[in-house]
Amino acid sequence: MPDCNLKANLAKCTCSYPTCSRKGKCCECVMYHRAHGELPGCFFPEDVERTYDRSIKRFIEAYS
Ligand code: SF4
């Protein structure tokens, strides 16, 4: 299994939460939010991402 490409992931990361230790570690990011019934920040439009509401409900609302 290849190592995580942290630098490339960070370059593409759209999450605006400044102090998250999972930033750029997409596998950890997905696992964290999945465990909370949520989606990672990069799934959301920019204005919604900034609210830090990562719920599936908010995701559906954003694209309805
Ligand atoms: S989406 Fe969540 S877990 Fe991922 S970097 Fe942002 S705050 Fe961290």
Side-chain angles (χ1 to χ4, degrees):
M1 191 165 157
D3 289 336
C4 181
N5 196 342
L6 186 63
K7 217 173 181 180
N9 290 347
L10 277 173
K12 292 179 185 170
C13 182
T14 59
C15 178
S16 64
Y17 193 79
T19 57
C20 181
S21 63
R22 289 172 287 275
K23 223 170 159 84
K25 300 172 188 167
C26 302
C27 51
E28 291 185 20
C29 178
V30 168
M31 282 193 290
Y32 174 81
H33 285 294
R34 185 170 187 253
H36 290 84
E38 300 172 345
L39 293 165
C42 57
F43 280 69
F44 294 85
E46 195 178 336
D47 58 327
V48 180
E49 188 285 319
R50 282 195 302 263
T51 68
Y52 303 138
D53 183 349
R54 312 279 195 236
S55 66
I56 293 170
K57 180 177 178 281
R58 188 67 188 91
F59 174 80
I60 292 168
E61 285 170 3
Y63 288 102
S64 295

